[in-house]
Amino acid sequence: MDVTSSSPRIDTQSPDSSWLSDDELQVLEAICETFFPSLDPPPGSNQAQVAYYRASSGDLHLPLLIAETLGQEDEESRGDVKRLLALLRSPATGLLLVGKGRPFRALPFEQREKYLLAMAHSPLAQLRQGYQLFKRLTGFLFYATPDPQGHNPTWAAIEYQLAAPPAASSTPRRLQPLSIQEDTTLECDAVVIGSGAGGGVVAGELALAGKNVIVLEKGGYQDESDFTLQEAQAMNDLYLKRGLLSSRDLGVAVLAGSTLGGGTIVNWDTSFRTPPDTLAEWEQLSGLSGVFTGPALQESFAAVERRIQINTDNSAHNRQNQLLYEGAHALGYHADSLRRNAVGCEQRCGTCGFGCRYGCKQSTLKTYLQDAYEHGARIIVRCSAQRVLIEQGRATGVEASVYDPETNTTRRLTIRARTVVVAAGSIHSPAILLRSGLSNPHIGQHLHLHPTTTISGRYSEQVYPWQGVMQSAYSDEFGHLNGTYGYKLEVAPTHPGLLGMGSPWHSAREYRENMSYAAYLATIIILARDKGEGRVTLDRHGEPVIDYVTSVFDRRHILHGLRQAARVHMAAGAIEVTSLQSKRTQLTRPQLDQLGERAWQQFDRQLERHGLGVNRLIMYSAHQMGTCRMGKDPAQSVTDAHSQVHGVQGLFVCDGSVFPTASGVNPMLSIMGLAHQAAQYIKTII
């Protein structure tokens, strides 16, 4: 054994961690120490490498950070964690998993490693889920949490450097959100719930038409002067549930923006129009003639593209995108540059997901919301919409609450409006409609997530996957494996926290060694157009719950994509490829050189045998769609040809939830185009 020290016990509890008992916190400390003990550095290590291996979970206070993070979850979630910790305190669980009738924290280090791996591979879903909860949190926090000076002790060893921000600007903020200091009632022509790709466009279009508009945003207001470029801080400030949003069973980690500008603040600028064959499918399924295939939507796409300056001039490839491009071409596969809504990128940073500090990203904050504000729109942030007010079949306003973090107070807000536009995203839009008493059975159904996973390739030279333009290349070679269903190959920027969260863990030492090569890794994602569906329902507090399991049909495409992404890596010169499956699934260049096609066959069998089931492979989603789908028939859909909710005059849904099926491409432009089209109609009825 090469563990050289133990995590110091945390004796003091902050208010956010006091929900755990001393015994529970000790179990959490033992979990963190097992994932991240202090280790003997390899012979010949330099000073940075010595510090990297010596660092332990206690040095970064991981148990306290995790307790505080989970302490912000709801009562049911905290209860699940307590039940999980109780299992680890039980000698019976130790007997089941490692043949030792002792609690987890009483086991020697090597047995605790085996215990965690037994959880990861258990046939019991609860144990796999518990493993993933703690592995993801510890991995993210260990590599992403900065010290008081703004640096993480692991960064020097893995060659990670924060992008240098531009010089501080004394320019005042361009927007001034309306302050709500007391219970308030406001009136307007249209209230828009949400400020992202859908809500931002509608707000801008209506305000430009002279309408009195109020925009409600659940998140806060950050702009270039606030974006720290710190991964951990960005997750807390800019994402729903501080980046912890997931399906109920943790099978899919869901990334969704929650800040003024919504997902357009944190997305990677990829700007595809909805493919023509998808639009034709939507028209056939919805029964809405001309809505998706007529000239109006193409005109809306063009108008949006002009406003957010979509171009390919800023699609120069960083090393990671170039590897995808070169590897695909070497195999004879399609590869191309994608269009982006950014100007002046110049490969300076690679932190698009943390907010664009340079102001290059043409988000709704810089475009449509700015238009709305300059034409009189009022914007209210940290505002949660509880329900839509409906009287005699017509929407008349919104009930909401506004939180002030400086005073820790919440005020009631009532908006009286002639039109209500719900654009809170495919998770929260159906939740608002359900809380409003609407009973259409399709509200919250037909959820699509574009389930996504990754194959990483390790190269002999540095790739620095966190530097430069985040997405600029893609392959659509396998976009039509079954009709209009298949997948795209793209890349994803892997900053240390995300890499630590996703990388497989087989032992503390092996994991630490693998992460030391972070600068040499490139990631290719398999983005599947899912045919399978999930749903969004409400918990007893009225908050949305995501139920989604990747279908057998879609798993076949993902498996196909894992195999092809590995081949692209090897064609581009990778010396090793690895999937995100819990069981070791790997292929090396020497194996391939020695065995040739037989090595591929063995690797392909590994991918299939090690499984794509829930919490056996980490799956992500940055695209949520379909929970308030459009259609002609109220018995089969939620909204009509104009995105108006069936049976409720003046109530519209304008976000990705109106998609009849998954878009198959990064959905930002699809959302914006449909919202722009709907806004032209809304203008005429206010």
Side-chain angles (χ1 to χ4, degrees), residues 333-395:
Y333 295 168
H334 166 270
D336 204 349
S337 297
L338 51 80
R339 303 189 304 160
R340 306 173 66 244
N341 63 312
V343 293
C345 281
E346 301 174 12
Q347 303 285 2
R348 286 178 294 195
C349 47
T351 55
C352 302
F354 311 152
C356 182
R357 189 69 181 265
Y358 288 90
C360 301
K361 181 185 296 188
Q362 302 303 297
S363 65
T364 58
L365 184 63
K366 287 181 64 70
T367 56
Y368 285 99
L369 288 174
Q370 188 68 41
D371 295 342
Y373 181 74
E374 290 175 357
H375 288 80
R378 289 165 286 178
I379 297 172
I380 304 171
V381 298
R382 302 191 186 279
C383 180
S384 297
Q386 270 82 55
R387 66 186 186 100
V388 178
L389 300 173
I390 301 172
E391 299 175 7
Q392 297 179 341
R394 170 171 287 278

Side-chain angles (χ1 to χ4, degrees), residues 567 570 586-606:
R567 286 159 171 76
M570 285 301 194
Q586 203 167 54
L587 175 67
T588 66
R589 177 68 62 179
Q591 290 172 326
L592 193 59
D593 291 342
Q594 181 179 358
L595 299 175
E597 184 59 30
R598 190 150 60 93
W600 280 120
Q601 293 171 0
Q602 292 173 356
F603 180 68
D604 290 348
R605 284 197 296 270
Q606 270 192 346

Side-chain angles (χ1 to χ4, degrees), residues 19-20 69-84 129 133 241-242 244 246 248 250 539-541 544-545:
W19 64 282
L20 290 177
T69 299
L70 294 175
Q72 297 177 66
E73 295 297 293
D74 58 37
E75 183 180 348
E76 286 84 356
S77 297
R78 294 197 303 272
D80 288 341
V81 173
K82 282 179 167 286
R83 283 185 285 275
L84 177 62
Q129 181 176 334
L133 172 68
K241 293 194 72 174
R242 305 166 302 283
L244 294 180
S246 71
R248 189 200 299 260
L250 300 189
D539 65 16
R540 65 187 185 92
H541 303 290
V545 175

Side-chain angles (χ1 to χ4, degrees), residues 450-461:
H450 281 167
T452 299
T453 193
T454 296
I455 281 277
S456 66
R458 180 176 153 195
Y459 291 77
S460 57
E461 76 282 354

Side-chain angles (χ1 to χ4, degrees), residues 64 73 105 305 308 324 345 451 498 525 530 542 557 610 624 649 680:
L64 185 60
E73 295 297 293
R105 63 183 295 267
E305 288 166 349
I308 65 174
L324 168 60
C345 281
L498 186 61
I525 62 174
D530 48 333
H557 289 177
H610 292 172
Q624 302 88 52
Q649 292 294 309
Q680 310 317 306

Side-chain angles (χ1 to χ4, degrees), residues 48-331:
Q49 292 166 334
V50 168
Y52 172 69
Y53 281 95
R54 295 287 190 198
S56 72
S57 65
D59 296 332
L60 286 170
H61 308 294
L62 286 195
L64 185 60
L65 287 173
I66 290 172
E68 291 176 342
T69 299
L70 294 175
Q72 297 177 66
E73 295 297 293
D74 58 37
E75 183 180 348
E76 286 84 356
S77 297
R78 294 197 303 272
D80 288 341
V81 173
K82 282 179 167 286
R83 283 185 285 275
L84 177 62
L85 294 173
L87 277 176
L88 273 71
R89 291 164 62 193
S90 169
T93 310
L95 186 64
L96 171 69
L97 294 178
V98 294
K100 304 290 184 181
R102 301 169 67 185
F104 177 79
R105 63 183 295 267
L107 293 169
F109 178 78
E110 292 91 342
Q111 291 294 320
R112 283 189 270 127
E113 283 192 314
K114 292 179 181 177
Y115 191 115
L116 291 177
L117 289 174
M119 289 179 64
H121 306 149
S122 173
L124 299 177
Q126 183 182 6
L127 291 177
R128 296 200 310 275
Q129 181 176 334
Y131 169 84
Q132 289 295 339
L133 172 68
F134 291 127
K135 189 269 172 186
R136 294 178 198 179
L137 279 173
T138 55
F140 179 84
L141 290 171
F142 189 79
Y143 286 98
T145 303
D147 61 21
Q149 287 72 48
H151 292 274
N152 179 288
T154 68
W155 290 348
I158 66 174
E159 301 183 53
Y160 180 72
Q161 291 185 329
L162 285 176
S169 173
S170 59
T171 305
R173 286 185 167 196
R174 292 184 295 272
L175 306 179
Q176 291 295 324
L178 183 66
S179 177
I180 304 296
Q181 299 295 324
E182 59 186 6
D183 293 349
T184 302
T185 298
L186 300 173
E187 295 185 358
C188 61
D189 294 327
V191 55
V192 180
I193 304 170
S195 61
V201 169
V202 173
E205 285 293 303
L206 296 185
L208 283 167
K211 310 303 180 182
N212 183 347
V213 175
I214 294 176
V215 179
L216 309 181
E217 168 54 49
K218 183 180 180 67
Y221 172 30
Q222 287 88 21
D223 66 3
E224 290 91 341
S225 63
D226 304 301
F227 300 139
T228 65
L229 310 185
Q230 293 269 11
E231 189 176 12
Q233 188 68 42
M235 286 293 175
N236 187 71
D237 289 348
L238 304 179
Y239 288 82
L240 271 175
K241 293 194 72 174
R242 305 166 302 283
L244 294 180
L245 184 65
S246 71
S247 58
R248 189 200 299 260
D249 58 12
L250 300 189
V252 184
V254 179
L255 297 174
S258 183
T259 184
L260 192 61
T264 70
I265 294 293
V266 298
N267 69 16
W268 303 341
D269 304 324
T270 302
S271 303
F272 289 108
R273 285 194 188 188
T274 321
D277 53 6
T278 300
L279 292 175
E281 178 186 303
W282 286 0
E283 180 149 314
Q284 189 276 328
L285 178 66
S286 69
L288 298 173
S289 177
V291 172
F292 300 110
T293 61
L297 182 56
Q298 296 303 314
E299 291 168 3
S300 285
F301 280 145
V304 170
E305 288 166 349
R306 289 191 297 270
R307 183 65 187 95
I308 65 174
Q309 301 185 59
I310 290 176
N311 66 89
T312 55
D313 295 339
N314 287 265
S315 297
H317 302 322
N318 67 356
R319 184 58 183 150
Q320 183 170 233
N321 281 278
Q322 189 65 33
L323 289 169
L324 168 60
Y325 190 86
E326 291 173 357
H329 269 296
L331 295 171

Side-chain angles (χ1 to χ4, degrees), residues 178-187 380 383 386 398-404 407 409-415:
L178 183 66
S179 177
I180 304 296
Q181 299 295 324
E182 59 186 6
D183 293 349
T184 302
T185 298
L186 300 173
E187 295 185 358
I380 304 171
C383 180
Q386 270 82 55
V398 173
E399 280 188 358
S401 61
V402 182
Y403 175 67
D404 184 344
T407 62
T409 57
T410 300
R411 304 297 185 189
R412 288 182 297 176
L413 176 65
T414 302
I415 309 288

